[in-house]
Amino acid sequence: RVLLCGHSRTQNNNSQPPAQHTGIMAAIVAQNTAAVGLKAHVARRGVAARASRARVVSVSAAARPNFFPGSVPPAHLDGTMPADYGFDPLGLGKDKETLVWYQQAELMHSRWAMLGITGMVVPELFDNPLVEGAMPNWIEAPLYKGYFTDDNTLFVVQIFLMNWVEISRWQDMKKPGYAHEQFAATGEDVGYPGGGLFNPMGFATNEKDYKIARVKELANGRLAMMAVLGCFIQETVTKTGPIANLKAHLADPAHTTIFDSFHPIVLNTGL
């Protein structure tokens, strides 16, 4: 500020400023210009970095399926498992070993549920040549006496078959690769042995189709588990099978609904 005032007075006196003063002023102007340019550069980099981070977050959120959009999935559900939508409100899978066990349990329950719901529905739709007379309701099937052989034979055969299947599956979990040795399987993941015995139709021959098939299997399996639960509740309330319930609803949709099955609970208070 002093230099500028002195410079102004020197100009008013029609005299040239000293060379030293001119050099200092030029240095100050250059320094200020450089500082402004640096701040602008830093500001631009900051905006670009924030924009880049925003793009990464938005892309990650779009690529990571979530059961509730906008929520943050648990850390132990990182999206690497098939059909992982970040749903674990009770935190049951925080332990890594337990999570692996739950993953296999869900897979097995899904497959059994898909077979189970098929067995609940098909007997009401088609006749079976191995059964005498009309097919029983699924809830009555264990007590039915019209099968091609007696109950004891069926029970023993089922025990041996289930024992072999479950022990083989357990060994494959304890020692990955067991299925390859015993059944000439080609799959690499536990629970997905593959090969001619477990994939005779040759589905999912490439990596992309394989991942899609695993997601579809679990999605249909979860739906089947809910369907089996619905059939249990339905039979308990109406004492009929799922197809009979569906036909009754289609015959009178306005009056044959789930709400018509609700009955008030009357408490006997003794008054």
Side-chain angles (χ1 to χ4, degrees):
R1 186 179 301 171
V2 174
L3 290 175
L4 290 176
C5 292
H7 175 58
S8 177
R9 285 196 300 268
T10 305
Q11 287 182 337
N12 291 335
N13 293 332
N14 297 324
S15 60
Q16 297 297 329
Q20 182 180 4
H21 293 175
T22 302
I24 294 176
M25 289 174 59
I28 292 175
V29 173
Q31 184 178 6
N32 291 337
T33 303
V36 172
L38 179 60
K39 290 180 180 179
H41 178 68
V42 171
R44 287 194 299 269
R45 289 190 60 184
V47 172
R50 287 193 295 271
S52 177
R53 286 195 297 268
R55 286 194 298 270
V56 171
V57 171
S58 62
V59 171
S60 299
R64 172 71 165 93
N66 200 0
F67 80 99
F68 190 80
S71 64
V72 179
H76 58 277
L77 298 180
D78 54 3
T80 57
M81 296 188 300
D84 174 13
Y85 300 109
F87 183 79
D88 188 13
L90 301 180
L92 301 177
K94 290 183 178 180
D95 182 73
K96 187 175 181 181
E97 294 183 0
T98 305
L99 181 60
V100 174
W101 173 262
Y102 283 145
Q103 181 186 15
Q104 292 298 314
E106 182 187 35
L107 180 61
M108 290 299 106
H109 281 80
S110 296
R111 291 170 177 172
W112 278 116
M114 286 187 283
L115 289 173
I117 194 64
T118 303
M120 291 176 172
V121 172
V122 169
E124 291 190 64
L125 293 175
F126 305 102
D127 293 331
N128 192 327
L130 300 179
V131 175
E132 299 176 2
M135 295 281 287
N137 187 11
W138 67 268
I139 197 67
E140 303 167 352
L143 303 177
Y144 187 67
K145 300 299 181 182
Y147 294 114
F148 64 94
T149 186
D150 60 280
D151 298 343
N152 292 330
T153 302
L154 289 176
F155 178 75
V156 171
V157 171
Q158 184 177 3
I159 288 294
F160 277 103
L161 290 178
M162 290 298 301
N163 180 70
W164 172 70
V165 170
E166 287 300 308
I167 288 181
S168 299
R169 185 173 67 87
W170 176 252
Q171 290 295 329
D172 194 41
M173 290 181 62
K174 292 177 61 178
K175 180 185 176 184
Y178 176 83
H180 295 74
E181 301 173 0
Q182 299 295 322
F183 311 109
T186 58
E188 298 180 357
D189 299 326
V190 176
Y192 301 91
L197 181 62
F198 299 98
N199 187 18
M201 303 299 292
F203 293 117
T205 56
N206 56 67
E207 186 66 20
K208 181 181 178 181
D209 293 341
Y210 174 66
K211 291 181 179 180
I212 294 175
R214 292 179 66 175
V215 173
K216 287 182 177 180
E217 180 185 32
L218 283 174
N220 284 279
R222 291 167 181 172
L223 183 61
M225 286 189 282
M226 296 302 298
V228 168
L229 177 61
C231 287
F232 270 100
I233 298 174
Q234 194 175 49
E235 200 282 332
T236 302
V237 175
T238 65
K239 306 302 180 183
T240 56
I243 300 301
N245 275 268
L246 178 61
K247 290 181 178 179
H249 171 69
L250 294 177
D252 189 6
H255 300 92
T256 308
T257 64
I258 186 175
F259 302 104
D260 296 324
S261 300
F262 292 153
H263 302 285
I265 299 176
V266 180
L267 299 178
N268 186 6
T269 58
L271 299 178

